[in-house]
Every structure is written in structure tokens, then in C-alpha cells.
Amino acid sequence: MKTIVITGTTSGIGRQTALKLNAKGHHVIMLNRNEQKTKALQKELVQPAQSTFIFCDLADLKSVKSAAEKVKVGFESVDVVLNNAGGIIPDRQTTKDGLELTFQMNHLGHFLLTNELIPLLEKGKEPRIINVSSEAHKQGNPNFDDLQLENGYSSMKAYGNAKLFNIYFAQSLHDKLKDKGIAANALHPGVVDTKFGSDFKGFLKVLLKLFKPFMIKPEKGAETSIFLATSDEGYEQSGLYWKKKKPAKTASIAQNEENRKRLWKESDKLVKQVLTESDAA
Ligand SMILES: NC(=O)c1ccc[n+]([C@@H]2O[C@H](COP(=O)([O-])OP(=O)(O)OC[C@H]3O[C@@H](n4cnc5c(N)ncnc54)[C@H](OP(=O)(O)O)[C@@H]3O)[C@@H](O)[C@H]2O)c1
């Protein structure tokens, strides 16, 4: 039985991932921002006693930090951190921390959560970190002088960057944690029929509707996450990008080491800045 922290289980891929992992006998610690939806999901779990709900809004770093503290109080160790929550935002929005929402909900919230949980992973069995990225990382082309996309925001630019950051983050974790025996991977779940993109209006909404019949079901979309969380390969192979349960090629930009190191530096700086400001308030 593994102890698995997973974000975003109220819908889509994360929901199916939590259901299946729990049915396999694992304890799922579900970090969500919607208590009602989580409680409803808990009623559908095969082993509801093997589940824990902890409130976590990734768009609020104080909430992420407090969720991590609750995991530390309630659990001696953690075997898997599955950073699943995320999405695409039609128009630029900022979080209460003053950061661009796509960046924070897909990347920075998970950056803080994962780093906070490393001491528990160190005590876990075959511990691993999994970031749900996307083929959309191929659209990523970050300008580190405008990481918050204050100039020329587009939803695809923000999402492409954020999903590229999921890969950079997994690779950096692999570099930093391999000596501690912690694996880190990123994955593309497939093109999945979920709530993803449901805030779109106009042309993009029509386009999404046209694509729906060709999309895979969330049950299928959850397969690579479940595979990486539970298989021997998901622990023995680290620092990779996966599709359909197999290592896959990334775009060449995902191998840019300078970007990867810069992302870590900027993320660390932003987290410290936001948490210091909120402590002082
Ligand atoms: N669907 C696809 O084709 C596809 C393709 C490639 C990658 N992905 C990735 O797969 C992951 C799951 O997406 P999905 O397709 O399953 O979408 P989804 O059905 O919209 O589910 C997204 C999940 O993220 C949660 N979430 C969003 N913002 C949050 C926040 N601020 N704090 C905490 N939780 C938050 C949502 O919670 P609420 O219920 O509270 O909104 C929901 O549980 C995402 O990382 C996405 O980028 C999806």
C-alpha cells in the first residue's frame, strides 16, 4: 500500500487517477480546493477509509504551505507526490499572490508543495514525484524577464510555458534528488475529454467541441499517471517524459539547461517573496 499525495482530484484525469489508485488499495491524500466535490468523490471510492481530504488552493501559496503542513502532521512518510491539477485560462488573471494564474496553478503551487514534502518522500518506499505535463509544452518559449506575461498574454503561450515548466521541474528534481533515491518524471496524459478548456468562449469553444469525439476518456487519460505511480519502471527510470506508459521525446527547448536552472531560481525567489510578504501582513 502506497501513500499518495495527489492534486486536483475533483474532475477529469485526477478524479479517475484517485479512484483507480484507491481501488488498488493505496491511500490517496487529495489536495483540492473544493470540499463538496471531494466529499462526493470520497463516497465513490472503493476504500473511503484509505483517503484524506486536505484543502489546497494552488493559486494561494499560503494555502499550499498550510496543506503541506497538514500532510506532515498526519503522515510519517509519503511514497508518491502526483502533481496533477492544472488548466488553461482564456484571459490573463492574477492570483491573490499577484502572479499570473496559469503559471501559479500549474507550476509554482506544485513547486512549493513538492519541496515542502521532500522530507516525507525521503522516508517513503521507492518514492517518486510525477508532474502531469502536456504535449502543449512544445508551444512553450519563456521570456524570464516577463515570466508573468504582463505583455502580450495569450492563453496558449501561458499554458505552453507552464507545461514546459512541469518538465523542467521534474528534470531538476531528478538532478537534485537522485542521490536521495527519489525519482521524478513528467508525462503527457493524451488528449482527454475533461473540463479542460471549459472556460473558453467563441471560436476556441467551437474548436474544442469539434475535437471532443476524438478525445480519449479520463479513465484512459489516467493510465500513464497510475503507471508511473505504481510500477517498478516509474521508480527505476527518472528524469524522463512519458506518453502512453513509455518514455517519449520532448521538444528540444525542454532540454535547455539554462532555462531549467533559471526556472528553479525564479520559482524559489517568488515563493520566498510571497510567503515572506504574507507572513508580514
Ligand atoms: N485534458 C487534456 O487533454 C490534457 C492534456 C494534457 C495535459 N493535461 C493536464 O492534465 C491535468 C488535469 O487536467 P484535466 O484535463 O483533468 O482537467 P480538469 O477536468 O479541468 O481538472 C483540473 C483539476 O485541477 C483542479 N484545479 C484547478 N485549479 C486549481 C487550484 N487553483 N487549486 C487546486 N486545484 C485546482 C480542478 O479543481 P476544481 O474542480 O476545483 O476546479 C480539477 O480537479 C492538468 O495538469 C492538465 O494541464 C490535460
Side-chain angles (χ1 to χ4, degrees):
M1 195 266 286
K2 291 182 189 292
T3 302
I4 300 174
V5 171
I6 169 167
T7 62
T9 70
T10 49
S11 158
I13 299 162
R15 189 172 191 282
Q16 287 304 321
T17 307
L19 279 165
K20 295 268 160 52
L21 287 171
N22 177 262
K24 281 172 184 272
H26 303 298
H27 191 111
V28 285
I29 308 173
M30 301 185 283
L31 267 56
N32 291 325
R33 62 178 171 173
N34 188 317
E35 179 168 4
Q36 214 179 346
K37 284 202 244 172
T38 312
K39 297 276 175 214
L41 171 62
Q42 278 180 310
K43 289 191 184 134
E44 283 183 50
L45 294 173
V46 174
Q47 306 190 67
Q50 295 283 31
S51 74
T52 304
F53 163 62
I54 294 177
F55 178 83
C56 177
D57 181 357
L58 292 161
D60 173 0
L61 292 186
K62 220 171 153 182
S63 153
V64 176
K65 174 108 177 166
S66 139
E69 295 303 333
K70 286 183 183 133
V71 179
K72 288 184 210 172
V73 169
F75 297 84
E76 286 274 303
S77 65
V78 158
D79 305 306
V80 184
V81 173
L82 210 173
N83 294 317
N84 164 81
I88 188 163
I89 310 296
D91 302 305
R92 187 175 186 277
Q93 287 180 43
T94 50
T95 64
K96 67 186 283 191
D97 298 329
L99 302 171
E100 192 279 311
L101 178 57
T102 325
F103 171 80
Q104 184 164 345
M105 74 193 268
N106 286 277
H107 167 66
L108 199 67
H110 288 131
F111 177 88
L112 171 60
L113 176 70
T114 309
N115 276 303
E116 286 289 317
L117 295 181
I118 287 170
L120 293 200
L121 281 162
E122 283 182 65
K123 294 190 214 152
K125 193 164 172 279
E126 298 190 344
R128 55 195 84 183
I129 298 157
I130 303 157
N131 292 347
V132 180
S133 174
S134 168
E135 283 290 89
H137 81 269
K138 294 179 175 166
Q139 309 299 319
N141 187 15
N143 169 6
F144 284 95
D145 295 327
D146 185 20
L147 204 49
Q148 304 308 317
L149 293 175
E150 284 169 271
N151 304 303
Y153 176 90
S154 88
S155 54
M156 208 46 229
K157 201 196 272 186
Y159 186 66
N161 284 350
K163 293 289 119 179
L164 177 64
F165 296 162
N166 294 153
I167 298 177
Y168 285 151
F169 182 40
Q171 290 170 337
S172 292
L173 286 166
H174 163 72
D175 275 3
K176 290 175 195 289
L177 301 176
K178 59 178 182 283
D179 292 344
K180 294 185 171 178
I182 301 174
N185 284 292
L187 69 97
H188 169 63
V191 180
V192 193
D193 186 3
T194 64
K195 265 182 48 208
F196 180 86
S198 56
D199 295 341
F200 276 115
K201 295 185 178 74
F203 174 69
L204 283 170
K205 188 178 179 164
V206 176
L207 201 67
L208 203 65
K209 209 173 166 187
L210 286 173
F211 267 110
K212 288 260 176 199
F214 305 101
M215 292 179 177
I216 59 173
K217 297 280 165 235
E219 289 85 339
K220 187 101 191 129
E223 283 182 359
T224 304
S225 296
I226 294 167
F227 171 78
L228 287 176
T230 56
S231 67
D232 291 343
E233 291 98 314
Y235 177 65
E236 285 157 8
Q237 302 203 53
S238 178
L240 302 178
Y241 174 67
W242 297 71
K243 283 197 306 191
K244 295 185 177 170
K245 303 191 236 172
K246 299 237 173 338
K249 268 185 91 164
T250 60
S252 57
I253 194 164
Q255 306 307 320
N256 185 316
E257 208 174 321
E258 199 183 317
N259 273 359
R260 182 159 72 75
K261 290 192 170 150
R262 180 87 190 263
L263 177 70
W264 188 285
K265 202 170 134 208
E266 297 298 333
S267 302
D268 193 44
K269 195 164 83 185
L270 283 169
V271 163
K272 284 182 180 137
Q273 204 174 300
V274 169
L275 291 179
T276 312
E277 276 168 17
S278 71
D279 277 351

